[in-house]
Amino acid sequence: MPAAPPARLPVSTYRLQINPLFPLDEAAELVPYLEQLGITECYSSPVWRARPGSLHGYDICDHSEVNPEIGGEQAFQKFSRALRNQGLGLILDFVPNHMSVDANANRWWRSVLENGPSSPYAKVFDIDWDPVKTELKGRVLLPILGDQYGVTLENGNLRLALCGGEFRLRYFDIDLPLNPRHVRLILEHSLDSLVAALGADDPHLTEFRSILFHFNNLPPYTETSPELIELRTREKEVAKQRLARVLEESPVIRAHVEENILLFNGIPGNSASFDLLHQLLELQVYRLSYWRTAMHEINYRRFFDINELAGIRMEEPEVFRQAHVRIAEWIRSGAITGLRLDHVDGLFDPTQYLADLAGLSDPQAPIYTVVEKILSDGEPLPLEWNVHGSTGYSFLNDLNGIYVDTRNGNAFRKLYQRFTRRRQFFPDVVYNSKELIVSTSMASELNVLAHELNRISESDRRYRDFTLDSLQDALREIVACFPAYRTYFRVDGYSAFDQRTVDGAVLEALLRNPATEPSIFQFIRQMLLPQPSPEEFGETFERKVRFAMKFQQYTGPVQAKGVEDTAFYRYSPLLSLNEVGGDPSRFGRSVQEFHRGNQERLESWPLSMIATSTHDSKRGEDARARINVLSEIPDEWHSIVSRLARATSAARTKVRGEPAPDRADEYLFYQALAGAWPPGLDGPPNRTFVDRIRNYMQKALKEAKVHTSWVNPSDAYDAAASKFVESALVGPSSRSFLAIFLPFQQKIARLGMINSISQLVLKICSPGVPDFYRGSELWDLSLVDPDNRGPVDFHKRAQWLHPMEPFLDVNSTVAARVGFLTCLLSCWEDGRIKLFCTAAGLRLRRRMADVFLQGRYLPLQPEGEKAHHLVAFARQAGGRRVVVLAPRLVAGLCGSRTHLPTGAESWKDTLVRLPEAWGASTLCNIFTGERLSGTSLPAAEALRHAPWAIFTGEENAESRP
């Protein structure tokens, strides 16, 4: 069941990206601003020692140390104290699924590369030591080379080096250890010459020979008994120390070793000169390979398809303990008050992990914990998870959907098909994209699963006729048809959702493969949800359980790479729907669905985060709000797109006989531009913006994997796309392009601004804990990362917030507040209107935390001619009340007029009846201070000065904002 209420109840969170460019000391200086804004919890990206230069912190190298590049332990404690002194909590982002495989920075990984299964840390990483390829038995495939192994070797790019008494292999800036048992190949080469030079009785030579014996008699790296692991760990270090001493004391022996190193390093152009080094490398724990061709044989589980991040086995108790030492200390000391857990779907057993994590804090007053979990349509967050909720993508998509005009879905799909000449429906795009991922970048993991499945089938006479190839093909089809990120089968059973998901995937795979023998799919279905039978031995069932749970670790990354990072860039009738956890084939959502989602969250996960922008979202919340406007004006958008295409006709280039970029990529470009265009800019953009759009398009095209990709880039297509962007924005086509685009964009931007503040007030007042991504209190028009991880001007935000204080004061006059609000609306482009509404809303949440965290949620049904343009609900706890009014589908509300949708001219007879139990109420608008009394709120009065409002009131009392 969900975790007990946390020791500290979060009311709102603010995400910071801590990195060397924004270290902990700067974050500490920001705390007074966050408190003034109304935030109650600071939510930080990972702070542990990461790969050198990391700008995100997800490539952790050491869980026991705060990253010195962001300030180290002292700066972390200073940051934590600064938050406590201002009354704020600290939520840390933690990565339980994977670590960086930087061999220099990650001592655990380095130990594995030196000692293989005999490393004390061999069980940390999810490595298949007995893979399909026999040459990799007991070894790790390292896909780090920029060219084929033989080419790299004979170009002289792999070089031996000696550091003290330790030999290393250098590949540019990558430094790898060597198996100490086999460094004797270097040391004893031409040993007779050394003996002749020193004489057989030389004491240094005697020691040198003893060291050779020492190295040669270390336990092999394949040994896994604890005693031999301890012996190897100890004695290899003793041997290195002895070698360092003799090299320091004997110049002749040092010269001998250095000459051998030169000999082993070979001479470029002389192939035979690299034989010695190749022989040595063949004896290492790792096998070096070209990163582009190794994807079918990588034998360690990765984070998605990122070779530099290796999955760790958090299901091992000792791994869990070592990875959580500092977390446990910080929980006990009060340095942190919450945890955000990254990618829990990658864990072998998320339920057990979350139970283990809960054991680190007081079960009656645990630490606040949320998980990054992408929920598919109809998928619940597992109630057995010991957490307080998720990070808010379901809310993001529910909220975003109400700003999309559902009536125009067919019109947009037809427009997209006509313009792009692409006829596929989104489910088919997803299927094809996932098939591509399974067959390419994540093929190695499928190979491992298929071979394990084959072993299971061979052990049962009922299924032994299934061939390896047929099992692998069927498995690939089921994964490609999987409708969710993963299931959560455990040895103690599975849920109705798990069964529905597996059955749905198997049925879809059968339908897509009518020529395949159906019994093979039924066999796999049994293996994905295995049940013990009386005739089955325990070991056999355990093997099936492990296969099912390993399969579950695989479907999530395929879903993420296939849908979010491929299909979303191949299919974009309305780009704002292509969001993490979203479904572009679902064209908008009803207000009733939005209310239902809020009610369900309040009932089941009242402390779940609710977000509109994150570090992983595909675009900033305000860019999304602009693009949503397009859904209301399909005919006008069609006309604009056609005119823009004609204006840029000369900007296209022929690549392999076809125009580049193609029409689908071009259509994506127009939408991205409408969302990201700088507010108020009525001429050509500056170089910074052009570079941002060009970089975004380069990423989008490579993620789509149609004409170019990260693995197999097309320089010609990439150059053509860059030329197109340049020409349209600042080049030969820009005059005609901007003459069409700018007037339309200005209209979209103004309407998008109304959408933006509307979604802001709904987020602030909805059930859950609203999360604010760093900098999004001003306009967030960013694109997908790395664009959304750039620097934020916090100084400007603090400067702008300070003079707002008199107008955020509940005692300021209505006239002053209305005048200030009107002024902000007249210059909305600078974003201060969003900052003002954010601060007013967050301060209200902080004052009335009981209403927003535990209060009832009461959907209100607007009445009148413009009722479908208005979203309304109430919150209530005891006698304290809040009423929210926010517009939607604002293009239809404003029509051809350019002024804001306020007053009677816009809202006519529209009204919102208050809950009957309230009777006649007096409510106060927190933005203007105006008071309204009665049993209903006429929209013409409630929205007289601004298109949105938050009202507060108390039973039988004059309300105060």
Side-chain angles (χ1 to χ4, degrees), residues 83 109 150-151 207 265 300 353 437 501 540 603 667 682 699 713 738 769 772 900 913 950:
L83 289 165
W109 181 252
V151 174
E207 171 66 1
N265 281 339
Y300 60 89
Y353 170 78
I437 295 300
T501 300
T540 303
E603 291 169 5
Y667 188 77
D682 58 359
K699 176 166 183 171
L738 293 177
V769 180
F772 289 78
L900 293 170
R913 296 192 188 280
I950 301 174

Side-chain angles (χ1 to χ4, degrees), residues 670-786:
Y670 296 146
Q671 292 186 83
L673 201 62
W677 192 263
L681 179 62
D682 58 359
N686 61 24
R687 172 47 54 183
T688 298
F689 181 79
V690 175
D691 288 344
R692 283 180 55 210
I693 297 297
R694 189 188 65 248
N695 292 340
Y696 168 76
M697 287 301 297
Q698 289 295 316
K699 176 166 183 171
L701 303 181
K702 285 183 166 60
E703 296 284 26
K705 307 170 191 69
V706 176
H707 302 288
T708 182
S709 70
W710 300 112
V711 174
N712 186 22
S714 167
D715 293 341
Y717 195 86
D718 293 343
S722 291
K723 176 194 168 190
F724 182 83
V725 171
E726 292 272 344
S727 180
L729 298 182
V730 291
S733 300
S734 62
R735 177 172 295 182
S736 56
F737 178 85
L738 293 177
I740 300 166
F741 176 75
L742 286 175
F744 177 76
Q745 193 282 328
Q746 288 163 2
K747 171 185 174 180
I748 295 299
R750 186 175 177 83
L751 295 172
M753 175 271 293
I754 302 168
N755 277 350
S756 290
I757 309 297
S758 174
Q759 71 178 2
L760 170 68
V761 300
L762 292 177
K763 178 174 84 169
I764 286 175
C765 298
S766 287
V769 180
D771 175 44
F772 289 78
Y773 184 55
R774 28 81 90 192
S776 65
E777 60 271 34
L778 295 183
W779 301 129
D780 181 3
L781 302 171
S782 61
L783 298 164
V784 72
D785 70 282

Side-chain angles (χ1 to χ4, degrees), residues 776-941:
S776 65
E777 60 271 34
L778 295 183
W779 301 129
D780 181 3
L781 302 171
S782 61
L783 298 164
V784 72
D785 70 282
D787 189 65
N788 64 357
R789 301 186 188 187
V792 173
D793 189 346
F794 288 112
H795 179 69
K796 178 173 76 173
R797 286 160 172 77
Q799 274 192 320
W800 281 0
L801 182 58
H802 181 69
M804 293 180 181
E805 284 298 331
F807 309 103
L808 292 165
D809 187 342
V810 297
N811 296 313
S812 59
T813 66
V814 171
R817 295 169 78 178
V818 168
F820 184 67
L821 183 63
T822 302
C823 175
L824 295 181
L825 285 167
S826 69
C827 55
W828 63 267
E829 293 90 346
D830 62 20
R832 286 183 300 154
I833 180 62
K834 189 180 183 189
L835 178 63
F836 175 75
C837 292
T838 300
L842 286 176
R843 291 179 181 200
L844 175 68
R845 276 192 69 92
R846 193 165 58 187
R847 289 196 303 272
M848 302 178 69
D850 60 327
V851 175
F852 293 107
L853 294 180
Q854 289 103 23
R856 296 175 63 198
Y857 180 87
L858 305 169
L860 302 177
Q861 180 59 55
E863 303 173 10
E865 183 179 338
K866 302 294 183 180
H868 71 287
H869 288 287
L870 193 61
V871 183
F873 61 81
R875 306 297 310 276
Q876 179 183 358
R880 306 219 290 175
R881 303 160 175 175
V882 173
V883 178
V884 185
L885 305 181
R888 64 186 286 262
L889 306 182
V890 292
L893 185 62
C894 296
S896 60
R897 294 173 290 114
T898 57
H899 60 75
L900 293 170
T902 55
E905 186 178 356
S906 293
W907 293 103
K908 303 189 183 302
D909 63 341
T910 306
L911 61 82
V912 174
R913 296 192 188 280
L914 300 176
E916 186 175 346
W918 290 9
S921 302
T922 298
L923 300 173
C924 180
N925 187 330
I926 70 163
F927 300 123
T928 65
E930 296 172 289
R931 284 176 166 77
L932 296 179
S933 299
T935 59
S936 63
L937 290 176
E941 293 183 47

